[in-house]
Structures are given as structure tokens and as C-alpha cells.
């Protein structure tokens, strides 16, 4: 003879499933936030490297670079691209607002864009006697 399961059993199973899904969403968002923060800190490092490289003079013409985060160096665009290092995916980890609040710095970075298999392209130029550094993420060829 087979016994029917009580509605209590199904209630507990549903409750456990909801809690498990909540933990999954929370930790997934935390993981994505870390990836986005790594990309934003990489952009900050690239800007600092460009400012340091051009601290004593300004470029006469715009100069383009690849950024290599492992060595914190700007590589002339005429040289081969470094390996991809973008980490953020299409999931929004909400790190952009946290980064902007903590640093007071804003970059053209979207938490809803996929940056995997991309690297930073840095453009340094002289705008009215001031050093201007712009960056964008480009796919690695």
C-alpha cells in the first residue's frame, strides 16, 4: 500500500527551492559585481598609466595604445594585441554605481554589456593644453 505525501512536505520542498534560488541569484550577482569592478579598476589603471607616461609633455597628435594590465603598461597600437582580459558579462552586477560613488570617477562602461574576450584601447590626446585620455573596450582579434 502506498501512502500519499502530506501537503506539508510539498510546502517545505517549495520553501527550500525558493531559498536556494534566492541564494543562487545573490551569489551570482556578487560574482558579476566582482568581474565588473575588475574591469573598472583596469580602466582606472590604464588612465593612471597614460597620465604617468605623458606627465612631462603633451602629445602633438593623438596616440593610441593597448593596455596590458598584468604589467600596467601601455603598448603602442602598432604592436600585437595582448591576450583578452575583460571579465564582465551581460549580467548586471551593479558595480558601476558603487565604483562611481567610491572613486568619484565615471567611465563609459555598461553593466549590461559583455566584455569577455575584449581588451582596452586607449587614446591619448591634447585638448586645449590638457591631457585627455579616452578608453573603449574592443574585441581581441
Amino acid at each position: 500500500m502506498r501512502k500519499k505525501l502530506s501537503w506539508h512536505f510539498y510546502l517545505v520542498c517549495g520553501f527550500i527551492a525558493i531559498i536556494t534560488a534566492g541564494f543562487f541569484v545573490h551569489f551570482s550577482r556578487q560574482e558579476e559585481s566582482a568581474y565588473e569592478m575588475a574591469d573598472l579598476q583596469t580602466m582606472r589603471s590604464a588612465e593612471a598609466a597614460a597620465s604617468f607616461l605623458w606627465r612631462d609633455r603633451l602629445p602633438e597628435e593623438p596616440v593610441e595604445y593597448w593596455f596590458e594590465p598584468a604589467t600596467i603598461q601601455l603598448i603602442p597600437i602598432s604592436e600585437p594585441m595582448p591576450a583578452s582580459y575583460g571579465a564582465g558579462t551581460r549580467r548586471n552586477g551593479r558595480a558601476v554605481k558603487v565604483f562611481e560613488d567610491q572613486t568619484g570617477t565615471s567611465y563609459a562602461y555598461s553593466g549590461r554589456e559583455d566584455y569577455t574576450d575584449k581588451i582596452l584601447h586607449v587614446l591619448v590626446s591634447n585638448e586645449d593644453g590638457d591631457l585627455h585620455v579616452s578608453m573603449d573596450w574592443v574585441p581581441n582579434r
Side-chain angles (χ1 to χ4, degrees):
M1 184 162 140
R2 193 168 179 196
K3 280 181 142 184
K4 286 189 174 184
L5 296 175
S6 167
W7 65 271
H8 294 97
F9 174 78
Y10 294 112
L11 180 67
V12 170
C13 287
F15 184 70
I16 291 171
I18 289 169
I19 288 176
T20 303
F23 277 118
F24 175 76
V25 168
H26 173 73
F27 288 115
S28 178
R29 180 166 287 146
Q30 291 297 324
E31 179 184 35
E32 182 60 26
S33 179
Y35 292 152
E36 290 175 6
M37 192 62 77
D39 287 348
L40 290 162
Q41 291 294 356
T42 299
M43 294 178 83
R44 189 175 186 191
S45 296
E47 183 177 42
S51 296
F52 183 76
L53 181 65
W54 291 96
R55 68 187 178 281
D56 295 330
R57 63 196 192 304
L58 294 174
E60 294 177 15
E61 296 290 324
V63 184
E64 295 181 84
Y65 298 100
W66 305 123
F67 181 65
E68 174 55 67
T71 58
I72 311 173
Q73 290 184 341
L74 295 172
I75 300 168
I77 203 160
S78 59
E79 295 186 21
M81 291 175 119
S84 302
Y85 48 81
T89 64
R90 291 188 193 279
R91 297 179 307 182
N92 189 357
R94 300 181 182 161
V96 176
K97 180 165 178 19
V98 172
F99 178 82
E100 290 173 353
D101 290 346
Q102 290 178 350
T103 64
T105 307
S106 178
Y107 296 117
Y109 186 91
S110 170
R112 298 199 183 276
E113 187 175 331
D114 188 2
Y115 292 94
T116 55
D117 295 325
K118 291 186 178 182
I119 65 168
L120 265 179
H121 169 252
V122 181
L123 178 65
V124 179
S125 60
N126 178 354
E127 289 191 6
D128 300 323
D130 289 326
L131 183 67
H132 179 72
V133 179
S134 61
M135 296 169 280
D136 60 313
W137 291 88
V138 296
N140 197 342
R141 297 179 227 147

